[in-house]
Amino acid sequence: MEELSEHDVIKMEDDHVVAPAATSTLIEAGDESPTPATTPATAAATTSDSQDPDHTKEAAVLPATTATPTPEVIAGPFNDEETTFHKALRNATSTETPKDLDVQGTLPDWLTGFHYTLSPGIFDVKYPKMVSVHGELQQETRTFTFGHWFDNIPQVNQFSFSGSDSKIKYRSTMPAHRAESKIRQHQGYLPNQPSSIFKTDTNQSVFARLLSTSHTQGKPSLEPCGASIDVLPPFNADGRRTIYCQNFANHILELNTDTLEKSGILAWDEVNPQFKGSHSSPHCHFDPVTKELINFSMDHGFNSTQYNFFSITEKEPHGSLIASVTAKTSHVHSFAVTPRYIILVVSPLNPSDGGVKYSWGASLLDAFTFKRAEPTLFYVVSRVKRRHIATFKSDAFFFFHHVNAFEDAADNVYLDFSLYADDTIAHQLSLSSLLDRSAPALTKPEFCRFELANVQAEAQRLENYNAAMANTGPVDKLRGFMRRVSVGQGSSASYAVPEKNSNTIPLATRIRSTPGVELPRINPIYHGLDYKYTWGVGISEQGDGDMYDCIMKLHVKGDAEPAVWSQKNCYPSEAIFIPPPGFDQNEDAGVVVSLVYDAEANQSFILVLDATDLNEKARAVLPEVVPLSFTNGCFAAGDISRGMQLPAAAAYYSDTEDEGDQYDD
């Protein structure tokens, strides 16, 4: 039998797979094609892999020269396939050449600038594999599928808004486009960092995963920085026109805002060696008063992690370490900042099996276990004293996002979350669960506010305790935290020992709990300050509850009913609040912008709403479907005249750019 090349095998799939002109992404063709988690290739691979994980036995498969589709089997109640969100969880087609969109409605005159979002680009990658059929080696096509909504090769979407003439232009690209060919080459995925994927079978050996996680950074076209995209002001202080993508694994990918070309990639510990760690938060904070960019890196151990908080400014581009907090290893997606404090909140989602799976590069949801009997801990760092000053605790809960945090005049700190009782939602957002029509409805988030009372008083109490402990002898420590130890010279004769319960951790008190939103956004002027409103995506009472299907505006004070935008069979991604230029006394003055998938029309559109009442102001249909996302985007106001340029062909990275990386043999 003539041996077929990889190119020949992929080409033979053309009856069922269409490759977009501008990318190497493989797209399931036709509206009736199966969803990524249940494609015929995936089903064939899953069946043979489960029976023969090493692929050494004979597999009853068709030769690669024959293309016979396998019927899709879906369990559960059958809704109309044409009106589900499932088609928005498939491989994307990038629009590399900027397109003018047909705008329906009118944009505000002041809305001029670039709007950026991240969305999944590639979920499925087809690859050729030699198998034995009746004793004869033949080549078949299998599919590697990312297993979680958060795991994918991302796509960057850029919009230019011109409010003066109500024009919108759009383009998209996949910066990590070469990761697809590496997945195909190695028939699986090797992440750089441990637990940097949520729920994906890498299809790689433990040894290969262990070797891959020794690398600190990838290459610009290989590292999927798909959790957030932002401006990061200190990095643009020299006038550079750049935008930055981040992931959970400590990487920052720099893109040129005019061309979306990759400028480079680095890890935080390359900015400053003190910022060491394999993970970080994809949600940096920028303080407009101090001009500080604040984030943390996570230097993991098996049972504990050092969370290194740092700041970067224009005057100090290499940054400085603020403080380090030692706490249990957990998945910390976001943190809070107020004018005086940084608050790290660590849920009891901790490595299982002594951290073995974690260190071997297993998916986060396979390596971590939520421990309901353990508390959630609140670590308070003083930005002035530059050290950890207090710790509070509450009952266990899980969260992805802080909404906001602020202080009051009585030295109390308030933290708002989109909160869950446990980590069920993280498992529900796996692709297998999202695409299962019999799966339970998604867990709805709560808007919860916690109070940390008398922070400075608690800091002083803890300081006194630590000082007393430093002066307490080892015998007293062994005998316990006694209030008074008599030495036989009268009841008044004693030496200082800390009070028995003087190191009891005070409680973080939950003072508000109402229905909430996910991917919460507020007016950025009010970050770290008392505020009234938050916007986000929610689950409507009228829907099936299997996907976020509405945009909501919540009043975080009082009992006012939320404002809601929804449209039948439409599913929004993150709703980003954009304020008008300058300062408006009305906190909700502005617009909310979201990328929405219309399942009935099988198309995506950009939606602009009045932030006050969520009435529609404008929309524009995109040339391609943009997959639904659970990521954070941004809006950069300003001149758009230099934007949307086509990159020079010579500026692209060559095929040898990744020479020596962890994928190469």
Side-chain angles (χ1 to χ4, degrees):
M1 178 179 178
E2 182 181 358
E3 183 175 356
L4 300 174
S5 68
E6 174 185 338
H7 178 270
D8 293 332
V9 174
I10 301 301
K11 186 176 180 182
M12 286 189 299
E13 296 294 315
D14 282 349
D15 290 336
H16 303 282
V17 178
V18 179
T23 72
S24 58
T25 311
L26 298 177
I27 309 297
E28 301 292 345
D31 288 348
E32 301 304 320
S33 60
T35 55
T38 54
T39 56
T42 307
T46 303
T47 302
S48 60
D49 287 356
S50 61
Q51 297 173 352
D52 179 19
D54 297 323
H55 313 304
T56 55
K57 298 179 182 179
E58 294 186 355
V61 295
L62 294 173
T65 52
T66 304
T68 304
T70 303
E72 180 183 17
V73 179
I74 301 179
F78 289 87
N79 299 322
D80 185 355
E81 173 66 18
E82 299 304 315
T83 57
T84 70
F85 60 89
H86 293 180
K87 293 181 184 178
L89 293 177
R90 298 180 183 174
N91 287 2
T93 302
S94 293
T95 304
E96 300 283 350
T97 302
K99 302 289 185 183
D100 289 310
L101 305 183
D102 182 16
V103 178
Q104 303 173 24
T106 304
L107 299 177
D109 291 340
W110 54 264
L111 187 62
T112 298
F114 290 115
H115 184 70
Y116 297 92
T117 72
L118 282 169
S119 60
I122 299 174
F123 286 116
D124 289 344
V125 178
K126 294 183 181 295
Y127 62 88
K129 186 172 182 65
M130 298 302 298
V131 297
S132 176
V133 179
H134 304 303
E136 180 181 357
L137 284 178
Q138 296 185 1
Q139 217 162 12
E140 72 169 3
T141 300
R142 293 186 176 182
T143 302
F144 171 81
T145 299
F146 285 100
H148 199 279
W149 196 11
F150 301 172
D151 301 338
N152 56 77
I153 299 174
Q155 174 174 283
V156 174
N157 304 294
Q158 182 187 40
F159 300 84
S160 68
F161 288 136
S162 177
S164 59
D165 51 10
S166 283
K167 289 185 177 180
I168 302 177
K169 187 176 288 187
Y170 167 74
R171 71 166 166 190
S172 60
T173 190
M174 297 186 195
H177 60 281
R178 296 193 65 248
E180 179 189 12
S181 62
K182 288 300 181 182
I183 290 172
R184 185 178 296 123
Q185 175 184 341
H186 291 271
Q187 303 176 5
Y189 178 59
L190 286 172
N192 277 342
Q193 309 294 352
S195 292
S196 58
I197 49 178
F198 264 75
K199 185 69 175 178
T200 293
D201 180 358
T202 61
N203 200 31
Q204 299 292 295
S205 68
V206 171
F207 181 70
R209 295 201 309 267
L210 196 58
L211 286 180
S212 75
T213 57
S214 64
H215 290 256
T216 57
Q217 75 170 70
K219 298 294 181 178
S221 63
L222 289 172
E223 187 63 41
C225 294
S228 68
I229 184 168
D230 210 341
V231 178
L232 304 188
F235 293 154
N236 292 310
D238 58 359
R240 285 184 295 172
R241 294 171 63 85
T242 49
I243 193 79
Y244 297 87
C245 301
Q246 299 178 81
N247 62 10
F248 308 104
N250 203 27
H251 292 98
I252 318 162
L253 174 65
E254 182 181 88
L255 301 174
N256 181 282
T257 58
D258 299 330
T259 63
L260 293 188
E261 291 178 281
K262 299 174 291 291
S263 302
I265 192 169
L266 73 158
W268 287 117
D269 57 3
E270 293 179 320
V271 176
N272 188 320
Q274 288 185 304
F275 309 163
K276 61 181 179 178
S278 60
H279 287 65
S280 66
S281 169
H283 300 293
C284 298
H285 286 262
F286 180 71
D287 187 328
V289 177
T290 62
K291 308 297 182 183
E292 291 176 280
L293 180 76
I294 300 173
N295 202 350
F296 67 86
S297 60
M298 302 164 65
D299 191 9
H300 288 300
F302 285 118
N303 293 312
S304 65
T305 290
Q306 191 166 333
Y307 298 82
N308 300 309
F309 287 91
F310 58 85
S311 67
I312 298 171
T313 64
E314 179 181 351
K315 294 181 179 179
E316 202 172 5
H318 293 290
S320 62
L321 189 67
I322 298 173
S324 294
V325 176
T326 300
K328 285 191 174 182
T329 301
S330 183
H331 173 70
V332 181
H333 186 88
S334 59
F335 63 106
V337 173
T338 70
R340 290 189 295 166
Y341 305 116
I342 299 170
I343 304 96
L344 169 70
V345 182
V346 180
S347 294
L349 181 64
N350 308 128
S352 54
D353 302 325
V356 173
K357 288 183 179 179
Y358 169 80
S359 62
W360 287 355
S363 295
L364 188 143
L365 295 181
D366 292 327
F368 283 57
T369 301
F370 189 81
K371 301 175 181 178
R372 293 171 176 81
E374 297 190 9
T376 291
L377 295 173
F378 299 66
Y379 298 91
V380 182
V381 171
S382 170
R383 295 176 61 186
V384 177
K385 296 180 179 180
R386 302 177 76 85
R387 59 183 174 84
H388 168 223
I389 61 169
T391 303
F392 294 78
K393 69 177 181 180
S394 75
D395 291 339
F397 66 81
F398 177 79
F399 71 101
F400 292 116
H401 299 108
H402 287 262
V403 181
N404 196 18
F406 60 94
E407 310 164 21
D408 67 11
D411 198 38
N412 304 311
V413 174
Y414 301 92
L415 296 102
D416 297 342
F417 300 87
S418 292
L419 181 146
Y420 304 89
D422 55 32
D423 64 335
T424 298
I425 183 64
H427 296 269
Q428 290 178 321
L429 297 181
S430 68
L431 290 180
S432 60
S433 180
L434 288 173
L435 298 171
D436 181 359
R437 297 180 183 177
S438 63
L442 295 182
T443 304
K444 293 184 179 181
E446 292 181 76
F447 173 88
C448 288
R449 174 168 293 178
F450 285 82
E451 178 188 58
L452 310 184
N454 305 313
V455 172
Q456 286 297 332
E458 170 57 24
Q460 187 61 55
R461 186 200 65 78
L462 185 60
E463 185 174 337
N464 293 342
Y465 170 82
N466 290 334
M469 285 297 293
N471 295 321
T472 300
V475 174
D476 303 313
K477 293 179 182 179
L478 183 62
R479 296 169 68 180
F481 302 110
M482 300 178 296
R483 305 186 85 182
R484 184 179 294 268
V485 179
S486 174
V487 292
Q489 297 179 2
S491 60
S492 62
S494 63
Y495 52 91
V497 180
E499 294 187 7
K500 182 177 180 180
N501 294 316
S502 59
N503 196 34
T504 300
I505 299 177
L507 293 178
T509 307
R510 187 184 301 202
I511 61 174
R512 184 180 177 89
S513 184
T514 60
V517 294
E518 200 33 280
L519 299 169
R521 299 298 291 254
I522 67 170
N523 186 327
I525 296 172
Y526 291 84
H527 276 151
L529 305 174
D530 196 3
Y531 70 115
K532 298 178 182 176
Y533 309 111
T534 182
W535 293 262
V537 295
I539 299 173
S540 68
E541 297 297 333
Q542 297 76 26
D544 295 330
D546 51 0
M547 178 51 72
Y548 305 103
D549 61 355
C550 67
I551 297 171
M552 302 176 69
K553 172 193 176 185
L554 301 184
H555 301 254
V556 302
K557 294 183 176 182
D559 301 318
E561 288 294 319
V564 179
W565 176 91
S566 66
Q567 182 176 317
K568 186 178 180 181
N569 300 322
C570 286
Y571 304 91
S573 293
E574 182 190 31
I576 300 176
F577 176 88
I578 304 174
F583 176 74
D584 193 306
Q585 290 185 346
N586 296 312
E587 183 182 327
D588 57 353
V591 296
V592 171
V593 178
S594 177
L595 259 175
V596 182
Y597 173 65
D598 182 344
E600 191 166 347
N602 192 32
Q603 62 187 17
S604 297
F605 61 90
I606 187 77
L607 176 68
V608 181
L609 303 175
D610 187 319
T612 304
D613 52 17
L614 297 190
N615 285 332
E616 182 173 328
K617 298 186 75 69
R619 72 168 65 189
V621 175
L622 275 58
E624 305 288 349
V625 169
V626 176
L628 292 171
S629 68
F630 196 90
T631 59
N632 288 90
C634 71
F635 178 78
D639 180 22
I640 61 173
S641 61
R642 290 172 53 187
M644 295 287 185
Q645 300 174 15
L646 291 174
Y652 281 114
Y653 284 82
S654 70
D655 288 341
T656 60
E657 68 173 339
D658 59 323
E659 186 175 352
D661 70 37
Q662 81 273 21
Y663 282 104
D664 288 337
D665 297 325

